[in-house]
Amino acid sequence: MPKLDLGLPNYDSLFSTEEERQESRLEKIVSIPIDKISDFKNHPFHVTMDEDMLKLIDSIKENGILIPALVRSKDDGTYEMISGHRRKYAMSHIGLKEMNVIVRELDDDQATILMVDSNIQRENIYPSERGYAYKLRLEAMKHQGKKIDLIPDEELGVEYNKQTCGQLDHKLKSIDVLANDMGESRKQIQRFIRLTYLIEPLQEMVDGRHESEIKIAFNPAVELSFLTVDEQYDLADAIVANDRTPSLAQCQEFKRLSHDGELTTEFIQETLEAEKPNQKEKLSFKMSEIDQYFPKDFTPNRKKDLIIHLLENWARKKSREQER
């Protein structure tokens, strides 16, 4: 015969103290297998083996994890990382199998906002990473109904939702709230988001992580984000072929022609082949080719000064030899 549920407290709750009941509701640090933690979906921040990662690995070897990661549970019994991707990467590299975490129940929008906020204050963030982070957080804020404005911005190509904003109430739009939270201007937030419309090779050039070591400045990159995908690929090929990036004025011309449907592959190539007025011939080489000749504590500027000093001495020596 099935038990009749009268809605009465169970045996355990009758004899548990209020302190114990409060304790049961507190978040606790638990240890779970690293292989049960997946990265956050669409995580915008790159996790790579750079100098900062090497320092983190050394720190973990010496001191362990000082701050637990933050995860949320998934329906399949595994977990999704919210904050702690770099720590997880470092621990996996070392060969550690378990990680101290706090498990918090979060919906998608709460998780997205926490993920962005926990990473956005890092010192070394690529411009495209910041753009994707702002875009994700803005979408999450819109879903939460935080002063959504969805008014099309023709100049910057970003659209917002008009549901909760009357014609005269434009003071607290979602993007304005985000700008205030991030310490940026509304326009700068929009400009960073424009970088997410660039193809991957151009994003890499903006970030300074392209294999060619070619770097595109931020302002020209924003203008290039309005080109079609095919036009962007044509431009990326021309940049690599000519080892030269377009000026801001040239990017603005590309944008105008693209808008009018008149930008051609030939024009892009001809523009990149022509030397920019302020562009002089440059000598470039990888720092790794000369690092062995300098003390480890030498900065790039000190290396440059020493190279110039040595060349001056060499030039004077050659001049004296010719006078003899």
Side-chain angles (χ1 to χ4, degrees):
M1 180 176 179
K3 292 182 179 180
L4 183 62
D5 184 3
L6 299 178
L8 297 174
N10 59 33
Y11 179 86
D12 289 336
S13 66
L14 281 172
F15 294 96
S16 62
T17 65
E18 176 62 23
E19 183 179 353
E20 288 171 336
R21 287 193 290 273
Q22 291 291 341
E23 175 69 17
S24 69
R25 287 193 285 267
L26 292 176
E27 292 181 334
K28 298 181 178 66
I29 298 175
V30 296
S31 181
I32 61 177
I34 290 178
D35 60 11
K36 283 195 173 184
I37 306 174
S38 60
D39 290 343
F40 191 86
K41 184 179 180 182
N42 298 324
H43 188 246
F45 302 98
H46 296 82
V47 179
T48 57
M49 184 60 74
D50 54 16
E51 185 177 348
D52 288 340
M53 180 59 70
L54 292 173
K55 291 178 181 178
L56 178 58
I57 289 173
D58 289 340
S59 174
I60 293 174
K61 286 179 178 178
E62 184 175 351
N63 307 305
I65 289 291
L66 302 179
I67 302 175
L70 179 64
V71 303
R72 65 170 177 166
S73 57
K74 298 170 67 175
D75 293 338
D76 61 1
T78 63
Y79 301 86
E80 182 179 38
M81 184 69 78
I82 305 299
S83 173
H85 292 80
R86 298 180 71 253
R87 281 165 280 170
K88 175 192 167 190
Y89 182 97
M91 293 180 71
S92 297
H93 181 80
I94 295 171
L96 300 176
K97 302 299 182 183
E98 294 198 343
M99 185 175 194
N100 288 340
V101 304
I102 293 174
V103 182
R104 184 175 299 174
E105 297 308 314
L106 301 164
D107 63 30
D108 290 345
D109 297 324
Q110 291 171 329
T112 297
I113 291 173
L114 268 177
M115 180 276 297
V116 170
D117 288 353
S118 65
N119 285 278
I120 201 69
Q121 301 304 326
R122 280 168 34 201
E123 290 184 11
N124 301 318
I125 296 179
Y126 293 128
S128 69
E129 291 179 327
R130 192 174 294 277
Y132 280 111
Y134 288 163
K135 188 175 184 179
L136 284 171
R137 198 180 192 281
L138 187 60
E139 287 297 318
M141 292 171 66
K142 283 159 43 178
H143 294 157
Q144 290 186 330
K146 291 194 175 182
K147 303 297 183 290
I148 309 176
D149 68 340
L150 288 199
I151 298 168
D153 188 322
E154 295 180 359
E155 175 62 23
L156 290 164
V158 180
E159 294 187 351
Y160 309 99
N161 188 350
K162 230 190 256 192
Q163 305 170 19
T164 62
C165 228
Q167 276 189 325
L168 300 177
D169 182 20
H170 298 311
K171 293 184 179 179
L172 289 176
K173 300 173 184 177
S174 56
I175 193 166
D176 293 321
V177 175
L178 175 60
N180 183 67
D181 289 347
M182 296 295 107
E184 299 270 19
S185 69
R186 172 194 173 104
K187 185 173 182 180
Q188 191 71 346
I189 292 287
Q190 292 172 315
R191 286 157 64 80
F192 272 111
I193 291 176
R194 282 305 315 175
L195 299 182
T196 67
Y197 293 86
L198 290 170
I199 61 172
E200 181 65 20
L202 293 182
Q203 286 182 5
E204 291 175 350
M205 293 179 191
V206 178
D207 293 341
R209 54 189 175 89
H210 193 270
E211 60 182 2
S212 68
E213 299 188 358
I214 294 173
K215 185 81 163 62
I216 298 178
F218 181 79
N219 289 337
V222 172
E223 302 298 323
L224 296 177
S225 70
F226 291 93
L227 274 57
T228 67
V229 170
D230 288 342
E231 290 167 348
Q232 289 188 41
Y233 275 111
D234 287 341
L235 177 61
D237 290 342
I239 288 174
V240 173
N242 293 279
D243 192 23
R244 181 176 298 163
T245 59
S247 66
L248 176 59
Q250 290 170 338
C251 291
Q252 291 169 337
E253 179 67 3
F254 290 158
K255 174 184 173 183
R256 184 189 69 79
L257 291 173
S258 176
H259 179 270
D260 295 340
E262 298 176 357
L263 182 60
T264 64
T265 304
E266 291 73 23
F267 182 80
I268 292 173
Q269 184 63 38
E270 289 171 2
T271 301
L272 268 295
E273 287 176 351
E275 184 173 332
K276 289 186 287 187
N278 62 344
Q279 189 165 13
K280 298 180 179 179
E281 184 177 358
K282 295 186 292 186
L283 173 66
S284 63
F285 46 79
K286 296 180 180 179
M287 292 302 296
S288 58
E289 295 177 299
I290 61 172
D291 277 343
Q292 59 180 312
Y293 304 112
F294 297 94
K296 291 184 178 180
D297 62 343
F298 263 44
T299 63
N301 281 336
R302 290 186 68 186
K303 293 175 184 177
K304 174 184 172 183
D305 291 342
L306 179 56
I307 291 172
I308 293 175
H309 176 70
L310 292 174
L311 286 173
E312 288 173 346
N313 288 341
W314 175 80
R316 284 194 291 269
K317 181 180 178 182
K318 294 292 292 184
S319 177
R320 288 195 298 269
E321 290 175 351
Q322 290 174 359
E323 290 174 356
R324 292 175 184 172

